[in-house]
């Protein structure tokens, strides 16, 4: 199976909302690649628009992320690291993390994660677990 990239889009892959909890993230779109493949993992592409960011979260499962295009920062715990195309990031289990677009073009990241995994715990800026509503953080 091949998932083709043509004209700045994945063939036959519809964009999906990043998550169902607005207020914890900004300007992120998710693309599930090869959703019908019989694998133990999933490949997802996230597009983070300029000024956007993913939720600050932690979970038991680990995942690996490769930057396809754009520039930004990844927060791992309390540390910030600059990221650029071809950089690879390993996020160990229970490591608080967040991806932020600091550039002028979309930050496109490819994420490989176990198909069966636990749900993320959303965190406030200090790394404390939040309730399900951003105003409660």
């Amino acid at each position: 199976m091949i998932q083709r990239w043509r004209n700045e889009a994945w063939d036959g892959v519809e964009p999906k909302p990043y998550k169902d909890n607005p207020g914890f993230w900004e300007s992120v779109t998710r693309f599930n690649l090869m959703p019908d493949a019989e694998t133990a993992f999933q490949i997802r592409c996230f597009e983070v628009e300029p000024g956007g960011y993913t939720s600050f979260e932690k979970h038991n499962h680990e995942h690996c992320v490769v930057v396809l295009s754009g520039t930004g920062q990844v927060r791992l715990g309390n540390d910030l690291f600059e990221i650029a195309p071809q950089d690879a990031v390993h996020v160990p289990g229970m490591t608080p993390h967040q991806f932020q677009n600091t550039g002028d073009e979309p930050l496109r990241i490819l994420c490989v994660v176990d198909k069966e995994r636990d749900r993320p715990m959303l965190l406030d800026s200090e790394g404390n677990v939040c309730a399900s509503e951003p105003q409660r953080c």
Side-chain angles (χ1 to χ4, degrees):
M1 170 184 270
I2 297 174
Q3 188 74 64
R4 300 280 183 194
W5 175 258
R6 299 184 200 280
N7 302 318
E8 295 296 310
W10 302 101
D11 279 351
V13 178
E14 295 296 319
K16 302 210 179 281
Y18 168 60
K19 292 193 178 187
D20 60 0
N21 42 15
F24 286 100
W25 53 273
E26 180 68 39
S27 302
V28 183
T29 305
R30 175 174 50 104
F31 299 87
N32 292 339
L33 305 181
M34 300 187 185
D36 299 324
E38 293 184 26
T39 62
F41 58 89
Q42 287 183 331
I43 302 172
R44 303 170 303 165
C45 181
F46 297 100
E47 288 186 7
V48 185
E49 296 300 321
Y53 51 88
T54 63
S55 56
F56 187 43
E57 65 186 37
K58 67 180 178 180
H59 38 68
N60 288 321
H61 62 274
E62 66 179 335
H63 56 96
C64 291
V65 174
V66 177
V67 179
L68 298 177
S69 62
T71 57
Q73 294 180 328
V74 60
R75 179 177 177 185
L76 297 172
N78 291 321
D79 298 320
L80 280 177
F81 301 94
E82 299 296 319
I83 52 174
Q86 314 325 313
D87 288 346
V89 179
H90 175 242
V91 181
M94 296 309 287
T95 300
H97 59 283
Q98 179 180 50
F99 291 85
Q100 304 167 358
N101 185 337
T102 58
D104 297 329
E105 64 182 69
L107 173 65
R108 190 173 289 126
I109 57 176
L110 195 65
C111 176
V112 179
V113 67
D114 288 339
K115 192 175 278 187
E116 301 295 327
R117 59 190 180 274
D118 61 309
R119 303 272 309 156
M121 292 175 265
L122 299 172
L123 306 173
D124 65 16
S125 61
E126 301 300 314
N128 301 308
V129 176
C130 294
S132 60
E133 301 174 37
Q135 61 270 24
R136 293 189 165 195
C137 269

